[in-house]
């Protein structure tokens, strides 16, 4: 799981034509971790143009696995803005894991 592996999985998350491959890439990034993985997952979780809500939901769940403080604001945005109930539910679960004063608001 070195930097090359993370870069390859990030590329799959961002650009693969198969939405199931993008979902699997999000799951893998949640296991690999690292700053590049967090950034890619944040972007995927907030991608309103994503054609398949499951990719956004899987990215939010992967962020929950990674923890840390950085994702909180982005996850709050997903919770407030996404039209899909499952994505909002995943975002709420992420906030529950991440905690902090921002998550309570």
């Amino acid at each position: 799981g070195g930097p090359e592996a993370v870069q390859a999985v990030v590329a799959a998350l961002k650009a693969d034509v198969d939405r199931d491959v993008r979902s699997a890439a999000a799951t893998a990034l949640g296991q690999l971790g690292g700053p590049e993985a967090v950034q890619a997952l944040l972007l995927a979780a907030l991608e309103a143009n994503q054609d398949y809500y499951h990719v956004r939901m899987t990215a939010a769940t992967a962020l929950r696995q990674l923890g840390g403080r950085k994702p909180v604001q982005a996850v709050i945005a997903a919770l407030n803005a996404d039209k899909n109930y499952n994505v909002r539910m995943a975002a709420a679960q992420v906030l529950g894991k991440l905690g902090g004063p921002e998550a309570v608001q």
Side-chain angles (χ1 to χ4, degrees), residues 19-63:
R19 60 190 183 197
D20 292 329
V21 170
R22 292 194 309 271
S23 290
T27 298
L29 288 173
Q31 296 168 353
L32 291 170
E36 191 175 358
V38 170
Q39 185 63 27
L41 289 167
L42 288 171
L43 293 174
L46 297 174
E47 180 56 59
N49 295 326
Q50 189 71 253
D51 62 335
Y52 187 48
Y53 79 88
H54 195 261
V55 175
R56 296 190 310 273
M57 186 177 73
T58 305
T61 301
L63 285 168

Side-chain angles (χ1 to χ4, degrees), residues 69-94:
R69 303 295 322 142
K70 185 176 180 179
V72 171
Q73 291 300 323
V75 174
I76 289 172
L79 178 63
N80 290 329
D82 203 289
K83 293 177 182 156
N84 186 281
Y85 170 80
N86 293 317
V87 175
R88 291 192 314 272
M89 183 61 87
Q93 291 172 348
V94 169

